[in-house]
C-alpha cells in the first residue's frame, strides 16, 4: 500500500506527525508508533526523490546524446 502512496501524501502525513510531536499531542504509547510511521514515510520520500533524480539524469543524458 505504501508504494501506491504519492510523495505529496507521504509528506503531508509526515508533517502532521511532526506537528503532533511539536504540540505534545501524542502520549507515550502513541509516540513509538508515530515515530515508526515517520521513519517509513521518510524512507518512502527519500526513495521517491532518489528515483526521480535518477530518471531526470537519464533523460538529460539522453537529450545530450541526441
Amino acid at each position: 500500500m505504501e508504494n501506491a502512496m504519492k510523495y505529496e501524501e507521504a509528506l503531508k502525513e509526515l508533517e502532521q506527525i511532526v506537528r503532533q510531536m511539536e504540540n505534545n499531542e501524542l502520549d507515550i504509547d502513541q509516540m513509538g508508533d508515530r515515530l515508526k510511521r515517520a521513519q517509513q514515510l521518510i524512507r518512502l520520500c527519500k526513495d521517491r526523490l532518489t528515483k526521480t533524480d535518477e530518471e531526470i539524469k537519464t533523460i538529460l543524458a539522453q537529450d545530450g546524446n541526441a
Side-chain angles (χ1 to χ4, degrees):
M1 182 164 81
E2 271 190 34
N3 288 335
M5 180 179 263
K6 292 185 177 190
Y7 175 84
E8 291 81 10
E9 294 169 339
L11 188 58
K12 185 176 179 178
E13 185 178 343
L14 186 56
E15 289 171 343
Q16 179 183 10
I17 293 170
V18 170
R19 266 193 308 277
Q20 289 173 330
M21 289 179 173
E22 289 177 342
N23 295 328
N24 295 318
E25 296 175 12
L26 302 173
D27 63 34
I28 194 71
D29 296 321
Q30 295 172 314
M31 186 69 71
D33 290 337
R34 299 313 288 161
L35 283 172
K36 288 177 188 176
R37 180 63 179 157
Q39 282 183 314
Q40 293 171 342
L41 294 167
I42 290 168
R43 191 175 309 116
L44 185 145
C45 289
K46 184 179 175 183
D47 290 348
R48 293 279 167 86
L49 288 171
T50 300
K51 180 180 176 185
T52 301
D53 183 55
E54 291 170 0
E55 290 172 354
I56 290 170
K57 287 178 182 177
T58 300
I59 291 169
L60 292 175
Q62 290 172 351
D63 189 44
N65 293 329

